[in-house]
Amino acid sequence: MEIASFGETMIRLAPPVGFSLEGAQTLEVSIGGTESNLCIAYARLGGKCGWTSRMPDNAASRLVVNAIAVHGVDVSNVIWAPGEKLGILFVESGVSPRQTEVIYDRADMAIARLRPDELDYDYLLSAETLFLTGNTPALSSSCRETWLRAARLAHERKRTVVLDVNYRGKLWTPQQCRETIEAVLPHVDVLICGRTDARIIFDMPEEGEAAAKAFMARYKVPLVVMTLGEHGSLAYDGQHVEQYPVFPTEIIDRIGAGDAFDAGFLYGWRKKDIAYGLR
């Protein structure tokens, strides 16, 4: 495998666009999870990747796992936990002037009970790159411990460790996030962060290039990638800054946009170079 990852993936239930959740007669069923989104997008670009998690042993979880596997992602290492809970994500797509509303039912999920000794690190580290996000350590203290161990072992075995901060305010505070991210950064080779997260969590400058250079100076991460909203994205490797603008587009669904960016960047970077990854 080129990339491996682990984390939560939930059932996603959504009314048709234009309908409110409370007034819906039907709900569309799909899935949602940062790490699995990345793996699906990377596989669809032509890469080889694997994803694992701790899931209840039931039909709903198999729906999730099958929806990931159909895109060519290896899911052979999922940990099955009979009798436990699968998270549910309710999404009401906003149509201007209303915003998109998201409701999580993720308390006491199976993945939140993941113990460090349950994860198959040899499976994850059989890949050249380990992809991590700030979602997983926010789920529970045991998830945090497992996540940190995976990063440390990957670093020791000379794997490339990629971290997307991907802050979620419904899971923890900026201070909790910062403390956890700072604990893992000595093991990280590529840091991906949005400009808003950089400012809120790490007190970095608002301007993208300044923020990237501040990350490099403070944490000594070999490669910093910043997403800049309407200004596109940039990457800084300690010597050169590469920047690429946005593509004009109509937003249908914001959820997963950052995961798609990560997949595109990592695929292009691995196949050619940083500039191609951003493009």
Side-chain angles (χ1 to χ4, degrees), residues 36-59:
S36 58
N37 286 348
L38 175 283
C39 288
I40 288 170
Y42 192 88
R44 289 179 64 85
L45 287 168
K48 296 180 179 180
C49 54
W51 171 87
T52 188
S53 185
R54 189 174 189 273
M55 308 281 286
D57 189 2
N58 58 36

Side-chain angles (χ1 to χ4, degrees), residues 111-151:
I111 182 64
R113 297 184 175 190
L114 177 66
R115 301 188 311 273
D117 60 355
E118 283 185 296
L119 198 62
D120 186 344
Y121 299 99
D122 287 336
Y123 170 79
L124 289 174
L125 303 184
S126 67
E128 299 166 10
T129 298
L130 175 65
F131 176 77
L132 302 173
T133 78
N135 281 9
T136 302
L139 299 176
S140 67
S141 59
S142 62
C143 278
R144 180 181 185 272
E145 186 179 347
T146 305
W147 181 83
L148 286 168
R149 182 184 294 186

Side-chain angles (χ1 to χ4, degrees), residues 198-267:
R199 176 177 54 81
I200 293 174
I201 300 166
F202 301 97
D203 195 29
M204 294 295 183
E206 183 73 23
E207 196 273 324
E209 182 175 336
K213 291 182 175 180
F215 266 121
M216 183 77 67
R218 186 185 300 175
Y219 298 115
K220 308 299 187 291
V221 180
L223 177 60
V224 178
V225 180
M226 303 288 302
T227 54
L228 309 173
E230 69 275 14
H231 299 294
S233 59
L234 66 79
Y236 178 58
D237 63 1
Q239 295 182 316
H240 305 288
V241 175
E242 296 282 355
Q243 189 157 1
Y244 202 78
V246 296
F247 289 97
T249 185
E250 179 183 353
I251 296 173
I252 303 299
D253 187 345
R254 288 184 179 275
I255 297 176
D259 310 329
F261 170 84
D262 292 354
F265 173 75
L266 293 176
Y267 185 83

Side-chain angles (χ1 to χ4, degrees), residues 16-227:
V17 175
F19 285 81
S20 67
L21 185 59
E22 64 182 272
Q25 299 295 309
T26 61
L27 295 174
E28 298 172 351
V29 180
S30 57
I31 66 170
T34 297
E35 295 84 1
S36 58
N37 286 348
L38 175 283
C39 288
I40 288 170
Y42 192 88
R44 289 179 64 85
L45 287 168
K48 296 180 179 180
C49 54
W51 171 87
T52 188
S53 185
R54 189 174 189 273
M55 308 281 286
D57 189 2
N58 58 36
S61 292
R62 287 191 288 275
L63 182 156
V64 171
V65 173
N66 291 342
I68 298 169
V70 74
H71 297 283
V73 178
D74 181 76
V75 295
S76 62
N77 210 251
V78 169
I79 303 164
W80 297 105
E84 296 197 21
K85 178 182 174 181
L86 178 68
I88 302 175
L89 171 69
F90 297 92
V91 179
E92 181 182 291
S93 296
V95 178
S96 183
R98 298 171 60 214
Q99 294 183 331
T100 295
E101 297 291 339
V102 179
I103 299 172
Y104 293 99
D105 179 11
R106 66 188 347 158
D108 202 29
M109 294 186 305
I111 182 64
R113 297 184 175 190
L114 177 66
R115 301 188 311 273
D117 60 355
E118 283 185 296
L119 198 62
D120 186 344
Y121 299 99
D122 287 336
Y123 170 79
L124 289 174
L125 303 184
S126 67
E128 299 166 10
T129 298
L130 175 65
F131 176 77
L132 302 173
T133 78
N135 281 9
T136 302
L139 299 176
S140 67
S141 59
S142 62
C143 278
R144 180 181 185 272
E145 186 179 347
T146 305
W147 181 83
L148 286 168
R149 182 184 294 186
R152 177 177 54 80
L153 290 174
H155 182 70
E156 290 175 356
R157 297 191 195 182
K158 310 300 183 185
R159 302 299 189 261
T160 300
V161 179
V162 179
L163 170 67
D164 186 336
V165 173
N166 201 32
Y167 175 64
R168 293 292 178 265
K170 292 184 177 181
L171 289 176
W172 53 357
T173 67
Q175 183 59 33
Q176 290 172 321
C177 180
R178 177 169 178 165
E179 291 172 357
T180 299
I181 298 298
E182 287 182 336
V184 81
L185 283 178
H187 310 305
V188 169
D189 299 288
V190 182
L191 174 68
I192 304 174
C193 188
R195 63 178 178 182
T196 301
D197 289 351
R199 176 177 54 81
I200 293 174
I201 300 166
F202 301 97
D203 195 29
M204 294 295 183
E206 183 73 23
E207 196 273 324
E209 182 175 336
K213 291 182 175 180
F215 266 121
M216 183 77 67
R218 186 185 300 175
Y219 298 115
K220 308 299 187 291
V221 180
L223 177 60
V224 178
V225 180
M226 303 288 302
T227 54

